[in-house]
Amino acid sequence: MKGSKVFIVFEGGEFTGKTTQIKLLAEKLRAVGREVVVTKEPGGTPQGEKFKEQILSGTLSPKEELKLFLQDRRVHIENVIVPALSDGAIVLSDRFSDSTLAYQHYGRGLSLEFIEHEQHLVGGITVTPHLVLILDMSPQEAFKRAQLRGEEALSIFERENIFFHHRVREGFLQIAQTHPENHVIINAHQSRAAVARSIWETVEEKFIL
């Protein structure tokens, strides 16, 4: 693994613990001597933050929302992901292309044909993650945990009804089943420590740390 290009993506529904687990994995990887770049979608670049502002404004149609996500991804890949990988860093991203399918296709109902058409229009470099960790948890449990933590300001996605979140969860599971070669489902119902252990074991096994 040392010196090789490694791109790891964390996916999953709202409040499944992605941000916390990315931080924990980054700390462990740095502890074994690896350079780590932690990033996110949307908003992993200055331009991306502007895209994120527009996306979360709640004023866009699903199609407009998709177009901004795709533009954000192009900027993200070209300005953060590819340069970091070229420098030999491990890139950990909070969300990537699977979120587009889970949220915009399964959640919003946009057709795969339309999504593919828009991706073609945006163009740019294509990057495939070496590992996608899907933190899986029932939406009811995820939102219950968020309430216990005192989460108050909800984004436009977090405010969607429970049926939307179930569709998104099913989308992630379907994607993982379709691409077992680089997708691993992590049971996020476990304790924070247990989830971190499962993630570390998966990364260790795949990349031979």
Side-chain angles (χ1 to χ4, degrees):
M1 177 179 176
K2 193 169 180 58
S4 61
K5 296 180 180 180
V6 177
F7 179 27
I8 301 173
V9 173
F10 283 67
E11 293 282 17
E14 306 300 324
F15 305 121
T16 54
K18 295 183 301 301
T19 304
T20 296
Q21 293 300 331
I22 288 174
K23 181 182 176 184
L24 293 174
L25 178 59
E27 288 171 354
K28 292 206 73 166
L29 289 168
R30 286 172 180 141
V32 297
R34 289 305 308 263
E35 181 186 350
V36 180
V37 171
V38 175
T39 187
K40 62 182 178 178
E41 286 195 2
T45 65
Q47 190 176 351
E49 284 298 330
K50 294 177 182 177
F51 288 139
K52 182 179 179 180
E53 228 175 86
Q54 290 177 272
I55 290 166
L56 299 183
S57 67
T59 61
L60 305 179
S61 69
K63 289 184 177 180
E64 292 170 330
E65 187 180 86
L66 170 70
K67 290 177 182 181
L68 282 182
F69 271 119
L70 296 177
Q71 289 174 40
D72 172 69
R73 182 161 304 124
R74 177 176 179 171
V75 173
H76 188 214
I77 289 172
E78 292 178 353
N79 292 276
V80 178
I81 297 171
V82 168
L85 291 174
S86 297
D87 287 343
I90 296 175
V91 177
L92 306 181
S93 183
D94 186 341
R95 299 196 181 284
F96 195 59
S97 54
D98 286 354
S99 278
T100 298
L101 291 179
Y103 280 81
Q104 274 66 56
H105 173 55
Y106 288 91
R108 297 286 197 223
L110 295 180
S111 72
L112 290 175
E113 291 76 17
F114 179 75
I115 293 173
E116 288 170 5
H117 173 71
E118 291 301 315
Q119 285 175 329
H120 178 71
L121 289 180
V122 169
I125 308 166
T126 300
V127 178
T128 301
H130 300 99
L131 176 63
V132 180
L133 298 163
I134 295 180
L135 273 59
D136 179 55
M137 181 187 293
S138 72
Q140 288 92 337
E141 180 63 23
F143 277 81
K144 182 179 175 183
R145 286 190 182 185
Q147 288 173 347
L148 291 174
R149 292 200 305 264
E151 299 276 358
E152 291 180 1
L154 300 180
S155 74
I156 57 167
F157 296 106
E158 293 159 357
R159 291 197 298 269
E160 288 287 348
N161 63 49
I162 198 68
F163 303 107
F164 173 86
H165 293 290
H166 277 293
R167 293 196 300 273
V168 168
R169 183 193 187 192
E170 182 58 30
F172 280 122
L173 296 177
Q174 289 282 351
I175 293 166
Q177 289 170 10
T178 306
H179 300 283
E181 70 282 356
N182 67 336
H183 284 63
V184 175
I185 297 170
I186 302 292
N187 178 7
H189 289 93
Q190 305 173 88
S191 69
R192 179 184 296 179
V195 172
R197 190 161 52 248
S198 296
I199 289 171
W200 182 248
E201 288 170 356
T202 300
V203 171
E204 214 175 16
E205 179 183 353
K206 185 168 181 66
F207 300 110
I208 316 174
L209 294 176

